[in-house]
Amino acid sequence: MSLSVSDFLLNFPGKQEKMEGEIQRFAMVWASAMLALCYCHTIGRITIPGKSRLIAFLPIVLLFLYLPLNLHTIFLGGPTAFFLSWLATFRLLLFAVGKGPLSSTSPVIPLQHFLLVSCLPIKILQNKSDPSLKTHKSPLNYSVKSLIFATVVPIFQNKDKINPNIIKLSYCIYLYCAIELFLAVIAAMARVWLGVEFEPQFDEPYLATSIQDFWGRRWNLMVTSTLHPTVYDPVRKISARLFGRKFAPLLAVVASFTVSGLMHELIFYYIGRKTPNWELTCFFVLHGVCLAIEVAVKKEMNGKLRLPGLVTGPVVVGFALATGAWLFMPAVLRSEFDVKANRESIAFIEFVKGIGIHPNTHRLM
């Protein structure tokens, strides 16, 4: 059942004022984050990678874990949680030990590059001659995904009449389109601001021919590039000493997916303020175990048996959709992301209308 603007304002009085307060808190959160990152940039210029830099960064890491708690909306709180509590904290920890995208030049990248690269899902393209890196997609590509995402409105309005499994599968597709389009907009604005090219964020995951191809080369590559040096590499080195080189990569894969699951639980908590039921973690651990098995089988077969992509591709995509509908989407629906997003959209529209009607009463302090 759809919710009109009048129904929304009747059932949720004061939402317009709450939206104004949320925007004010959003501005304060990001102002605090930028000041904190300026501090980290200064520390990076006067210290060398190691314990002293790490100790200096720890208060900022704790701050970035706290800041998203000040926001309560999906549209503002969700991205802020992802950018600060996940990307920024992991990249600052890497920078503390002299690794990651913030340590690509010596001694420290320029401040404006540092501010954006540290907390946004972007990574400056270093090897511009690599033909395999497709940094730009056609307008038609994004237009098609925008049209697909636009069909969420009739689905949302009639979800009580549609099979729940179809709803879950549909929302999996919408979630992918929404994330890719949002990250593409962020990257485009950062590209204009900095005047540099970035590595691709997504590479058509629906064309994946294996689980390894899906997660390692196509899906949300900014997260992959962050987890690899922060989790995969250290766990692999430690596991190699404890269990041998044969099993080390497999344990590192499972550890990386486990951390990804825990970070997703944290972001969902920021948005919904609900106790985790660990379905998200189970989803990523399941995929991590399956990926580890796939890698092990490929090594044992040594290329002797390789099925064509036309066979493995639909299986991989079907597996991703099925497990997403089973373990990932229930967490989304239980948190009422779709309902909240609808409410927030209406509240934001009313907030903008209010600014136009009363321009002097909606100034951000």
Side-chain angles (χ1 to χ4, degrees):
M1 183 177 180
S2 61
L3 188 67
S4 66
V5 173
S6 59
D7 291 335
F8 176 83
L9 295 176
L10 179 63
N11 294 328
F12 302 96
K15 279 291 181 179
Q16 185 176 343
E17 290 76 12
K18 290 183 179 180
M19 178 58 69
E20 180 179 357
E22 180 79 352
I23 293 175
Q24 291 177 347
R25 289 190 295 272
F26 177 77
M28 291 301 298
V29 163
W30 277 99
S32 301
M34 291 299 103
L35 288 175
L37 289 174
C38 288
Y39 159 81
C40 292
H41 184 265
T42 301
I43 293 296
R45 294 178 63 88
I46 62 177
T47 63
I48 61 175
K51 291 183 179 179
S52 60
R53 184 183 291 184
L54 177 61
I55 293 173
F57 284 179
L58 286 180
I60 305 304
V61 171
L62 295 176
L63 175 66
F64 284 177
L65 292 174
Y66 163 75
L67 285 177
L69 291 172
N70 293 280
L71 303 174
H72 304 276
T73 57
I74 293 175
F75 292 138
L76 298 181
T80 298
F82 174 48
F83 294 163
L84 295 183
S85 297
W86 190 342
L87 291 182
T89 55
F90 278 48
R91 289 177 176 177
L92 286 177
L93 291 175
L94 285 174
F95 180 53
V97 295
K99 298 181 180 180
L102 300 178
S103 300
S104 58
T105 59
S106 179
V108 183
I109 62 177
L111 178 60
Q112 62 176 350
H113 287 62
F114 187 92
L115 294 177
L116 296 184
V117 174
S118 60
C119 59
L120 294 184
I122 55 176
K123 185 178 180 182
I124 296 176
L125 182 63
Q126 301 295 333
N127 186 9
K128 299 181 181 180
S129 61
D130 188 351
S132 64
L133 293 177
K134 302 175 182 178
T135 57
H136 294 285
K137 296 182 180 181
S138 67
L140 178 61
N141 185 296
Y142 289 123
S143 297
V144 170
K145 290 169 184 173
S146 299
L147 289 174
I148 293 174
F149 181 71
T151 62
V152 71
V153 176
I155 291 289
F156 172 78
Q157 291 176 335
N158 299 280
K159 68 177 184 178
D160 294 336
K161 304 175 184 177
I162 302 175
N163 186 288
N165 292 324
I166 296 179
I167 290 292
K168 292 178 183 178
L169 288 173
S170 300
Y171 279 10
C172 285
I173 298 173
Y174 295 142
L175 186 62
Y176 157 61
C177 292
I179 293 175
E180 179 167 3
L181 290 171
F182 174 70
L183 296 187
V185 170
I186 294 294
M189 291 190 295
R191 186 181 297 113
V192 172
W193 183 277
L194 298 180
V196 297
E197 289 294 338
F198 301 116
E199 294 185 7
Q201 299 162 311
F202 281 84
D203 188 12
E204 317 305 343
Y206 49 84
L207 298 179
T209 57
S210 67
I211 300 177
Q212 186 177 22
D213 184 35
F214 181 89
W215 289 109
R217 305 183 188 95
R218 295 185 180 274
W219 181 269
N220 206 348
L221 301 177
M222 294 300 100
V223 169
T224 301
S225 65
T226 301
L227 286 173
H228 200 280
T230 54
V231 181
Y232 180 87
D233 288 342
V235 171
R236 183 176 181 176
K237 291 179 180 179
I238 296 172
S239 299
R241 290 195 293 265
L242 297 177
F243 306 105
R245 294 184 178 181
K246 181 177 181 181
F247 297 101
L250 308 182
L251 294 174
V253 165
V254 176
S256 299
F257 275 82
T258 301
V259 170
S260 180
L262 293 174
M263 294 307 300
H264 278 82
E265 299 279 9
L266 178 62
I267 291 174
F268 271 57
Y269 174 76
Y270 283 131
I271 297 174
R273 300 295 199 275
K274 293 185 178 180
T275 303
N277 63 0
W278 310 113
E279 285 178 329
L280 296 170
T281 302
C282 291
F283 169 81
F284 284 98
V285 170
L286 173 62
H287 276 258
V289 171
C290 291
L291 175 53
I293 294 173
E294 179 183 276
V295 171
V297 170
K298 285 181 178 179
K299 286 186 177 180
E300 289 296 327
M301 297 302 297
N302 196 24
K304 295 179 181 178
L305 177 62
R306 179 172 295 180
L307 297 175
L310 291 176
V311 175
T312 60
V315 173
V316 170
V317 175
F319 176 71
L321 288 173
T323 53
W326 171 36
L327 292 172
F328 196 97
M329 293 314 300
V332 174
L333 296 176
R334 185 168 45 254
S335 299
E336 296 185 322
F337 275 29
D338 52 349
V339 176
K340 292 178 180 178
N342 189 58
R343 292 174 181 174
E344 291 173 16
S345 298
I346 296 174
F348 182 73
I349 292 172
E350 290 301 309
F351 171 75
V352 174
K353 288 182 179 179
I355 294 177
I357 297 174
H358 305 289
N360 296 322
T361 60
H362 290 86
R363 287 197 295 263
L364 297 180
M365 300 299 179

